[in-house]
C-alpha cells in the first residue's frame, strides 16, 4: 500500500470515528429541537430527522421551567447550588493542593518521604470505602442537606493534584527561591507570592479537572442533599428524567440535559490547551 | 422496583439471627483502644522529634513544612484513616442508620457469611460487575490505543479529531446518561430507528434496558463506556509521542515495519503506560455507578445492579450500614487483589527502562 493510500485510509478512519463519537450528541440536539410528535414518531415510522425542519427553540425555556416542583425555581436553585459548590471546591482544591505540593517539593522536614508515599498509596483507595462512615460522621455534625460535606473535604487536598503540583514545583530553579529567602521572605510568603504566580498552568489544570468533576458529581449530592432547594443540577436532572421517564416528551428531557452539559462543553473549548497538557502531565508521570 | 427488593430483603433477611442476643458494640472500649496507641505514638514521636530537632534555620523550615502538609495530614486522618477503621468496625455490626450508633449490634462474621452464602442479589451484583469489567477493560483500552495511534501524526486537522474524541469524556454524568437512555429507547431510540430496518424479517434491535436486559444490559453499558475513552486515549497519545524517533528509524533499517514494528518497538516502549491504564480501568470498572443508577436503577430485576449500585441500595435505601460496610471492605479487597494480580502477572512484560527514555 502506498503512503498516500494509507494516509487516506487513516483519514477515513479518523472521520468515521469522529462521526460515531458525535452522532448520539447530534441526535440529542435534534430531538431537543423537535416537537414531541416528531421526536417519538421517528421510531415507528422508520424515518429519521437529520435536521429538525422547524426547530422548536421554545423547548429549552419550556423544559427548564418544568424542572422541580415550582416553575423555574427548580432549575435556578439547582444552577445556583451547583455554581456555589463547584466554585468553592475549585478554590479549596487549588489552595490546599498547591500548599501541600510546595511543601513536599521544596521544604526539608523529617517524615517527608514516608508521608509522600502514604499519600500516593491512598490514590488507589476506592471512594466507596470511606463514603458510608463519612456520611455518618457528617450527619453527626448536622451537615446533611448543606453544602459543607461536598465542599469542606476539597480544602484538605487531593493526592492526584498534590502530586502534580509537587512535580511542577520540584523543577522550579532554586535561585528564584534563594533570592526571596535572602530578602527575608517566609515560607508561606514564598508559596503565595512566588510559587503560585509561576504555576499558573498547573493551577489551570487543577481548576479545570476539579470543575468538571464537581459539576458532574452525582453520588455526593445524591447522598447529602435532600430538599429540592439544595439540589445540584445533576440530581435535579435525575429527578426530572424520573418524572418524564417514559420519554413521551423526550424533547424536553434532551433540552434540559444539554443545558446541564453546556458549561463543560464551553469550558472544554475555551481551555483545550490545558486539557491536553494536563493529561500528558498527570497521566504519564503518574 | 426498589420496593420489591426491600421487601425481599426484609422478609428473608439472610443474616443469622443474632440481634435477639443483644450484643451491643463496646464503642467506648474500641475508642479507647484506638486512642491509646495514637496518644502514645504522638507522645513518643513528639519527644523524638523535639530531641532530634535541627538547628534554628532548619527548624523553622521543618515547622513550615510540617504545617504546610498539615491540611493533607488532617484530611487524611479525618476523611481516610478514621473512616476506614470505622468502616471496618461497622462491617462486623448490624446497625440501621435510622437509629443512633449505640444500637449497633456486634454480629461477628455474619455479614460476610451472608454475602458469600445467602444473598443472591449480591451474587447477581458481583456477576454483573465482573462481566462489565471483563467487557469494558479490554474494549476500552483497545479503542483508546487505536485512537491514539491514529492521532499520533502531524497534520493541521489532527487537533480537531483529538477534540471530538476527547469531548464526550468530559461530559460523562447524568446528562449523558439521559441521552443514552434515549438512544437505546425500546420504541423510539436511535438504534431502533436506524438498525431495525436493516435487520432480517422477524429480528429486532433488543430492548437493552427493558425486556432483553438480562442478556444485553451489561454489554450495553460496556458499549457506552467507549464514548468516555478520551482521557485514556490522551495518556496513550502522550506515551506514543514520548517514544524516541531513532528507535523507529533503527527498526526501519532492520526491515521491521507494520505489525513487527508495533510488536517490537511500540508495545515494549508503551508498556508502563499500558500497565498504568489497565490498572486504572480495572479499578474504575468495579466502581461503575452513575450511569447504571440514572439509566436503569439496577433493574429490570437485578440485570444491571452493579456492585456499587447494590451497595448504595443497602446503605442509603435500606439503611443497613453494617452490611454495606462489609460490602465496601470486600470491594476494597477485590480491587487490591486484582491490582496485585495484574502487577505480578505483567511484571515480565513491563519495560520500565522506557520511562527513562
Amino acid at each position: 500500500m502506498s503512503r498516500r493510500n494509507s494516509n487516506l485510509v487513516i483519514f477515513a478512519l479518523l472521520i468515521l470515528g469522529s462521526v460515531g463519537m458525535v452522532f448520539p450528541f447530534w441526535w440529542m440536539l435534534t430531538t431537543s429541537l423537535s416537537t414531541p410528535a416528531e421526536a417519538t414518531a421517528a421510531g415507528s415510522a422508520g424515518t429519521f430527522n437529520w435536521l429538525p425542519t422547524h426547530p422548536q427553540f421554545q423547548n429549552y425555556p419550556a423544559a427548564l421551567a418544568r424542572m422541580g416542583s415550582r416553575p423555574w425555581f427548580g432549575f435556578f436553585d439547582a444552577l445556583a447550588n451547583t455554581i456555589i459548590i463547584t466554585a468553592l471546591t475549585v478554590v479549596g482544591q487549588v489552595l490546599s493542593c498547591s500548599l501541600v505540593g510546595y511543601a513536599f517539593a521544596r521544604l526539608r522536614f523529617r517524615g517527608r518521604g514516608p508521608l509522600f508515599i502514604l499519600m500516593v498509596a491512598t490514590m488507589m483507595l476506592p471512594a466507596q470505602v470511606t463514603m458510608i462512615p463519612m456520611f455518618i460522621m457528617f450527619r453527626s455534625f448536622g451537615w446533611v442537606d448543606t453544602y459543607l460535606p461536598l465542599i469542606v473535604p476539597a480544602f484538605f487536598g487531593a493526592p492526584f493534584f498534590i502530586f502534580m503540583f509537587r512535580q511542577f514545583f520540584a523543577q522550579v530553579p532554586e535561585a528564584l527561591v534563594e533570592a526571596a529567602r535572602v530578602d527575608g521572605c517566609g515560607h508561606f510568603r514564598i508559596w503565595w507570592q512566588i510559587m503560585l504566580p509561576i504555576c499558573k498552568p498547573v493551577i489551570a489544570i487543577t481548576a479545570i479537572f476539579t470543575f468538571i468533576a464537581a459539576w458532574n458529581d452525582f453520588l455526593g449530592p445524591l447522598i447529602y442533599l435532600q430538599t429540592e432547594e439544595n439540589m445540584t443540577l445533576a440530581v435535579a436532572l435525575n429527578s426530572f428524567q424520573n418524572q418524564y421517564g417514559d420519554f413521551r416528551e423526550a424533547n424536553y428531557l434532551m433540552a434540559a440535559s444539554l443545558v446541564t452539559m453546556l458549561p463543560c462543553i464551553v469550558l472544554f473549548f475555551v481551555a483545550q490547551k490545558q486539557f491536553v497538557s494536563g493529561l500528558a502531565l498527570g497521566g504519564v508521570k503518574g | 422496583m426498589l420496593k420489591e427488593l426491600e421487601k425481599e430483603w426484609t422478609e428473608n433477611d439472610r443474616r443469622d439471627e443474632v440481634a435477639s442476643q443483644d450484643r451491643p458494640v463496646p464503642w467506648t472500649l474500641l475508642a479507647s483502644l484506638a486512642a491509646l496507641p495514637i496518644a502514645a505514638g504522638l507522645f513518643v514521636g513528639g519527644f523524638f522529634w523535639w530531641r532530634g530537632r535541627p538547628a534554628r534555620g532548619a527548624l523553622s523550615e521543618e515547622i513550615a513544612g510540617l504545617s504546610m502538609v498539615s491540611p493533607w495530614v488532617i484530611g487524611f486522618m479525618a476523611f481516610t484513616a478514621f473512616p476506614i477503621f470505622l468502616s471496618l468496625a461497622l462491617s462486623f455490626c448490624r446497625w440501621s442508620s435510622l437509629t443512633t450508633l449505640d444500637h449497633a449490634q456486634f454480629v461477628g462474621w455474619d455479614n460476610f457469611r451472608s454475602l458469600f452464602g445467602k444473598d443472591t442479589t449480591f451474587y447477581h451484583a458481583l456477576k454483573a460487575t465482573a462481566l462489565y469489567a471483563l467487557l469494558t477493560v479490554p474494549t476500552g483500552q483497545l479503542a483508546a490505543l487505536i485512537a491514539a495511534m491514529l492521532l499520533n501524526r502531524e497534520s493541521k486537522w489532527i487537533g480537531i479529531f483529538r477534540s471530538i474524541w476527547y469531548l464526550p469524556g468530559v461530559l460523562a454524568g447524568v446528562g449523558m446518561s439521559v441521552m443514552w437512555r434515549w438512544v437505546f429507547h425500546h420504541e423510539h431510540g436511535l438504534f431502533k430507528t436506524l438498525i431495525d430496518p436493516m435487520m432480517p424479517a422477524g429480528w429486532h434491535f433488543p430492548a437493552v434496558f427493558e425486556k432483553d436486559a438480562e442478556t444485553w444490559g451489561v454489554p450495553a453499558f460496556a458499549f457506552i463506556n467507549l464514548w468516555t475513552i478520551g482521557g485514556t486515549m490522551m495518556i496513550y497519545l502522550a506515551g506514543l509521542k514520548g517514544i524516541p524517533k531513532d528507535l523507529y528509524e533503527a527498526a526501519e533499517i532492520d526491515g521491521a515495519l507494520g505489525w513487527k514494528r508495533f510488536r517490537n518497538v511500540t508495545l515494549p516502549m508503551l508498556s508502563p503506560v499500558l500497565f498504568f491504564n489497565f490498572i486504572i480501568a480495572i479499578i474504575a470498572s468495579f466502581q461503575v455507578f452513575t450511569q447504571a443508577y440514572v439509566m436503569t436503577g439496577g433493574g429490570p430485576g437485578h440485570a444491571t445492579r452493579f456492585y456499587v449500585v447494590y451497595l448504595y441500595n443497602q446503605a442509603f435505601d435500606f439503611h443497613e450500614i453494617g452490611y454495606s460496610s462489609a460490602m465496601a471492605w470486600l470491594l476494597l479487597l477485590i480491587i487490591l487483589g486484582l491490582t496485585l494480580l495484574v502487577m505480578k502477572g505483567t511484571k515480565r512484560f513491563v519495560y520500565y527502562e522506557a520511562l527513562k527514555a
Side-chain angles (χ1 to χ4, degrees), chain B residues 169-298:
Chain B
V170 174
L171 306 175
V174 177
M176 205 157 127
S177 304
V178 175
M179 177 194 86
W180 282 114
R181 257 189 93 186
W182 176 227
V183 167
F184 277 113
H185 193 264
H186 63 287
E187 255 182 293
H188 312 297
L190 173 65
F191 288 140
K192 182 86 178 158
T193 318
L194 219 56
I195 295 173
D196 244 16
M198 294 183 239
M199 299 280 253
W203 291 64
H204 291 288
F205 187 77
V208 293
F209 297 132
E210 285 90 11
K211 68 176 180 20
D212 301 316
E214 210 58 59
T215 327
W216 291 105
V218 176
F221 279 109
F223 177 76
I224 288 168
N225 179 62
L226 291 178
W227 267 257
T228 54
I229 56 166
T232 318
M233 175 190 85
M234 299 299 270
I235 295 172
Y236 277 130
L237 188 59
L240 286 171
K241 287 211 190 297
I243 300 174
K245 289 266 185 305
D246 45 330
L247 281 180
Y248 283 119
E249 281 159 19
E252 203 157 334
I253 292 166
D254 290 344
L257 282 168
W259 169 253
K260 261 191 182 156
R261 194 177 68 166
F262 175 76
R263 174 70 191 76
N264 294 315
V265 181
T266 313
L267 219 47
M269 289 306 283
L270 209 58
S271 56
V273 183
L274 264 162
F275 172 73
F276 171 80
N277 275 342
F278 261 88
I279 297 229
I280 298 290
I282 291 170
I283 294 178
S285 68
F286 269 84
Q287 294 176 281
V288 55
F289 174 78
T290 301
Q291 306 92 298
Y293 187 87
V294 172
M295 289 166 69
T296 62

Side-chain angles (χ1 to χ4, degrees), chain A residues 47 69 180 185 212-213:
Chain A
T47 51
S69 52
C185 229
I212 300 280

Side-chain angles (χ1 to χ4, degrees), chain A residues 40 108 110 128 139 241 272, chain B residues 61 97 163 181 188 294:
Chain A
T40 50
R108 269 157 306 175
R110 282 168 293 157
Q128 284 78 16
R139 195 179 67 169
Q241 71 124 10
Q272 250 192 74
Chain B
E61 184 172 333
S97 64
S163 303
R181 257 189 93 186
H188 312 297
V294 172

